[in-house]
Structure formats: structure tokens, C-alpha cells
Amino acid sequence: MNSSKFHKKTWIVGVVFFLLLILLSFFSTSDSPKQYPSFLTESPSLTGTKAIYTYLRQQSDDVTRVTSLPHEETNTEELRMMINPPVLTDKVAEESYLEYIEKGNTLVIWKENPNDLFGIEATLQVDPYTKQTQQPSQVQSPNNSYEAVINSAYRLESTEQDNVLLEDSYGVLALERRIGDGHLIVITEPNWLTNDQITDYEHTEIIFDTLSFERFPSITFDEFHFHSSNGLVSPLKIFPGWAYVLFVEGIIFALFVLWYQGKRFGPIRIAREEHVRLGDERLNAVAIWHLKGKNYKSAILHQVDYLKEAIRERYGIPYDNSWQKRMEHLVPTLESLSTKDATYFAQELETVLNKDKINKYQFLTLSASIEKIREEVETR
């Protein structure tokens, strides 16, 4: 009765604790700020690019953001900004951007390591563990010198046909490459565009002097990679936060239930009946094998060997003594065994052991005598 009350009380406490945990988790996550991917134009966070996008929108009506690949109807002489895109593994997407450039448009890629992106080669020039990201460095353009924070450890490999736009003491930071009627511009400092760094040092001047936005009739911020299957949006954003809280707490609750139902106290004890049953089965199987195979001589030999060993352990009679001598030593100690019976048993046993085969009658008679002597030897 007390045990059932204890279990009932335990379950009530567990359920109440679980409900409180759900409520606390819900209220602690419901007011959390919205999370944005880095470099998103609608993101007001430090890693977003809402500041430059909003400023350009105020300066021109033809500034838009798109979430699709360039299409054939796209106007020429357009400036398209891709901020920190992944390396394109989709050939269709890559060919779509190349056709867009060849028609006379300008594609600007901002990425710290743009290696293998549209044929661009970049190499590691600065040890990323030792470089001081917050210390300004001198950045050179063909016409000016700027102070800027260099975040990228990679530098671009330029060719004779490329136009170097920015460089520092370690190498090329930005270059322009002509493709068809258009241009591809690659810059290794996407962090200059973020809300956190755009007004630091001379980042704003570098951006506007390098790109000259006023030369383009339309400006597009390409956010295709944020919304495609290869984008940067986390799969965890598919469901709201409270759904994941319930999911995790459900797993914890299930583990507690399984633990409660499967736990046991004290050592594991095997029932004696199991050992006895298996022992009896083994003995029965051996006995049936001897009887069906008529292996009477083999069975007698096993019994004789066991009896000789029992006599040696109990009375110290050597194992290799003859049965005649062995029985002479046993007569004074065994009350039920007379001298005549001992002599007859020894003679009969030696006669049987010298035979190749014995019949069932001899086996049963001699086996009964051996068993009787064994019991008296082990009990006295």
C-alpha cells in the first residue's frame, strides 16, 4: 500500500515539474529577438546590411532586392551585388550569372575567400590566427589611399587583363575582370558593408569610390543564395522556437519514462530452478545417449573413474592401486560392506573392465553397486 502511494506521488511530482519546465521555456524563448542571417539587407543587426541598402534606396528609386536568378528580360548596365555567396555547385546558376555579365551588366561579389567562384583564384596570405582584425591598415586604389580594417586573410590572383581596384601590402583586395560586354568585380571585404563596420575608418569612402553607384541606372541586391537550397538560412528556422522546445522536452520525458520502467534495485539473481533444470536436462541427455547407443562399457568406465577419485580424495588411497587392494582398505571404514562382498565386487569389476563389451544386465548390477559404495564414501 505504501509502495503504491510512493509511486503515485513520484509521478505527480514528475508531471508538475515537466509542466513548469515547459512554461518557463516558453516564456524565456517567446521574447527572444528575431535572428537574421549575416549580410541580409533587411537585417538591422550588426552583421546585417540594412544601412547601405536603405541609404541607396533613399538616393534612387531603382534599388531592389531579388531572390531569383537573373533572367533574359534583365536590363543591361545594371549593378548586381552578391554579398558572401556560397561557391556555386549548380552549373545552371553559374551559367545564368555568366550570361547576365556578358550582356553588359556588372556583377559585384563580396566574399572573403572567393576561390573557384567564376574562375577567380585566391590564396591565403595572412595567418588568420595572428592578424589583428581591429587594427586599420593602408589600402591603396589607383588614385587614393585609405585606412580600413582588413578582415580577410585571402588575396586575389590577378592577370594582365584584370584591373586592380584595391590592394594592401599583402596583395590584391579587389579586382575587375571583363567578361563579354560586362564586368565582374570581386572584393574580399564583405564586412565593410555591415551595419557594424560601414562607418568605421574610411570604409564608406572605399565602397562608394570603388563602385561609383551613380553610374548605374539600376542597382540590385541578389539574395538568391539566402533562399535557395544552397543558401545560408538555417533549417532550424523552418519551425518556431516553441516547437523545438516541446520536441526536446518530449525526448527528455521519454527518457525518464524508459528509465523509470526499466530500472531495478539490487543485484541480478538467477533463479535456482534454471540451473537445476538445465543440469537435469544435461544428465538426462547423457543417460539417454548411453542407453540408446548401448554404451554400457563407457558408462561404467566413467562411474569407476569418479569412484576412484572420490576414494583417493577421502581416504588417500592411490589412484593406480588395484581394486582388490582398494577394497581391502575400504572394508574397515564402510559398515555396509563385508569382506566377502568387497572381494566379490573387486573380482566382478575387474572382470567387466577387461571385457570389450558388457550387456545391460551386467551394467545395471554393477552400476547399482558402484553407486551404493560412492554414496557411503561421500557421506561418511
Side-chain angles (χ1 to χ4, degrees):
M1 184 68 179
N2 293 332
S3 177
S4 62
K5 287 183 178 180
F6 173 76
H7 290 310
K8 185 176 181 181
K9 184 178 179 180
T10 303
W11 274 104
I12 293 174
V13 172
V15 171
V16 171
F17 174 77
F18 183 69
L19 293 175
L20 289 175
L21 184 62
I22 292 177
L23 290 174
L24 289 174
S25 301
F26 178 77
F27 286 112
S28 63
T29 57
S30 59
D31 295 333
S32 59
K34 184 178 179 180
Q35 300 296 320
Y36 294 92
S38 298
F39 307 109
L40 196 66
T41 55
E42 65 178 356
S43 171
S45 68
L46 295 178
T47 59
T49 57
K50 186 174 183 179
I52 187 171
Y53 176 76
T54 303
Y55 176 79
L56 293 175
R57 285 273 295 175
Q58 293 173 350
Q59 301 301 314
S60 173
D61 294 333
D62 204 358
V63 177
T64 58
R65 66 168 70 98
V66 295
T67 58
S68 60
L69 293 171
H71 47 80
E72 296 181 356
E73 291 77 14
T74 303
N75 297 327
T76 58
E77 297 184 1
E78 180 183 75
L79 177 69
R80 196 179 189 96
M81 301 262 285
M82 293 181 68
I83 307 174
N84 198 39
V87 176
L88 297 176
T89 57
D90 186 355
K91 294 298 182 183
V92 175
E94 185 175 2
E95 291 175 0
S96 177
Y97 283 110
L98 289 175
E99 291 177 2
Y100 170 81
I101 300 173
E102 291 172 352
K103 289 181 179 180
N105 298 294
T106 300
L107 179 65
V108 183
I109 296 177
W110 298 78
K111 188 174 179 64
E112 287 194 7
N113 180 17
N115 192 47
D116 292 334
L117 196 60
F118 298 108
I120 296 296
E121 294 183 5
T123 57
L124 184 67
Q125 297 293 338
V126 184
D127 187 353
Y129 297 102
T130 59
K131 69 185 183 73
Q132 300 292 326
T133 57
Q134 299 304 318
Q135 297 299 322
S137 302
Q138 289 296 318
V139 177
Q140 299 291 331
S141 73
N143 301 318
N144 294 305
S145 177
Y146 307 93
E147 275 196 350
V149 173
I150 306 301
N151 302 280
S152 175
Y154 292 86
R155 298 298 181 267
L156 303 174
E157 298 290 338
S158 61
T159 64
E160 294 181 356
Q161 291 76 28
D162 294 335
N163 180 23
V164 176
L165 302 178
L166 297 171
E167 59 184 337
D168 67 353
S169 58
Y170 291 99
V172 178
L173 295 170
L175 61 79
E176 181 180 23
R177 179 173 297 176
R178 188 173 184 82
I179 301 177
D181 295 333
H183 297 86
L184 172 66
I185 298 177
V186 181
I187 305 174
T188 60
E189 292 298 328
N191 289 290
W192 290 348
L193 298 172
T194 61
N195 303 326
D196 183 36
Q197 293 191 23
I198 191 169
T199 57
D200 290 347
Y201 300 101
E202 296 180 283
H203 296 170
T204 305
E205 290 83 348
I206 296 175
I207 295 170
F208 283 85
D209 290 349
T210 303
L211 297 181
S212 300
F213 293 105
E214 65 277 1
R215 295 189 298 110
F216 300 93
S218 62
I219 301 172
T220 300
F221 283 80
D222 189 321
E223 296 185 347
F224 169 72
H225 56 282
F226 288 103
H227 300 272
S228 67
S229 59
N230 295 325
L232 302 177
V233 176
S234 172
L236 296 177
K237 300 300 181 182
I238 298 175
F239 300 102
W242 61 265
Y244 292 104
V245 171
L246 290 179
F247 178 72
V248 172
E249 291 178 349
I251 294 177
I252 296 174
F253 181 72
L255 290 176
F256 272 112
V257 171
L258 293 175
W259 172 78
Y260 180 80
Q261 293 181 346
K263 69 181 179 180
R264 58 186 303 154
F265 301 96
I268 299 175
R269 303 185 184 278
I270 300 175
R272 180 177 177 276
E273 291 78 6
E274 183 177 345
H275 293 288
V276 174
R277 178 178 62 81
L278 292 176
D280 291 345
E281 288 179 356
R282 242 183 257 110
L283 293 176
N284 291 335
V286 173
I288 292 172
W289 177 77
H290 281 295
L291 290 175
K292 287 189 175 182
K294 297 183 179 181
N295 300 313
Y296 304 128
K297 177 67 179 292
S298 176
I300 286 296
L301 289 175
H302 286 302
Q303 288 181 286
V304 169
D305 289 340
Y306 185 85
L307 180 59
K308 287 165 65 176
E309 183 63 24
I311 294 172
R312 186 191 66 79
E313 290 182 356
R314 185 66 185 273
Y315 301 107
I317 300 174
Y319 192 83
D320 55 354
N321 275 10
S322 65
W323 279 102
Q324 193 68 36
K325 291 183 179 181
R326 188 176 285 108
M327 297 310 296
E328 289 177 359
H329 287 88
L330 289 179
V331 169
T333 59
L334 301 181
E335 296 179 356
S336 62
L337 190 64
S338 63
T339 303
K340 181 179 179 181
D341 292 337
T343 303
Y344 176 77
F345 173 78
Q347 292 175 350
E348 185 68 19
L349 182 58
E350 290 182 353
T351 301
V352 169
L353 293 177
N354 290 328
K355 292 182 178 180
D356 294 333
K357 292 184 179 181
I358 61 175
N359 56 37
K360 186 176 181 180
Y361 174 76
Q362 291 174 319
F363 166 73
L364 293 175
T365 302
L366 192 58
S367 180
S369 301
I370 293 173
E371 184 66 16
K372 182 179 179 180
I373 295 173
R374 182 194 63 78
E375 289 179 356
E376 197 163 354
V377 168
E378 293 180 343
T379 55
R380 286 187 175 276

